[in-house]
Amino acid sequence: MAGLGIITGLYREAACFDIFPETRRPRVRCHGIGPIRAAEGARQLVADGCDSLISFGIAGGLDPGLKSTAVVIADAVFADGAPRRPTDEVWRERLRSLLEPQFTVSTGGLYGSDKVIE
């Protein structure tokens, strides 16, 4: 996974990738919450040679139909004051095919926020 970079906002999220052996572990950068910090992490990963990036997070779900172990793959990401950004369909479907044998996977829009949503 030399070309894959993972961006997280929390150290606990980054630690999820410790299950991979070091020789197969993607590069992971934890830069804190927010788009400015995520952009910095993305720039560093690209500078380190990553050509594919994933934003990974453990989120509180607002959809009561999702179980606590659900995996949500965003078809778009949006936030207040920012345009809706679609994700790559080919990546999305490839990731879904890799995860579905072990996890329940849902697809939908993900809202990004710098603060807790109640």
Side-chain angles (χ1 to χ4, degrees):
M1 291 191 215
L4 176 62
I6 310 282
I7 303 162
T8 71
L10 303 173
Y11 289 116
R12 179 63 193 110
E13 294 166 341
C16 291
F17 296 92
D18 291 346
I19 65 167
F20 288 95
E22 282 192 40
T23 57
R24 297 200 58 219
R25 190 175 303 153
R27 293 183 184 128
V28 180
R29 295 288 183 272
C30 178
H31 276 268
I33 298 170
I36 293 170
R37 292 178 177 148
E40 177 59 28
R43 282 190 288 277
Q44 286 183 7
L45 287 165
V46 170
D48 288 348
C50 294
D51 58 6
S52 303
L53 301 176
I54 293 177
S55 174
F56 174 82
I58 301 169
L62 299 179
D63 182 342
L66 293 175
K67 294 182 180 179
S68 63
T69 58
V71 174
V72 178
I73 301 173
D75 60 9
V77 178
F78 56 99
D80 290 339
R84 186 178 181 92
R85 304 250 187 230
T87 61
D88 186 274
E89 184 176 359
V90 173
W91 261 73
R92 216 172 37 244
E93 292 310 312
R94 183 164 183 237
L95 188 56
R96 176 188 288 282
S97 70
L98 292 169
L99 293 172
E100 276 189 328
Q102 297 174 16
F103 300 97
T104 301
V105 179
S106 296
T107 303
L110 290 180
Y111 176 79
S113 175
D114 292 343
K115 47 191 164 213
V116 176
I117 300 168
E118 297 181 37

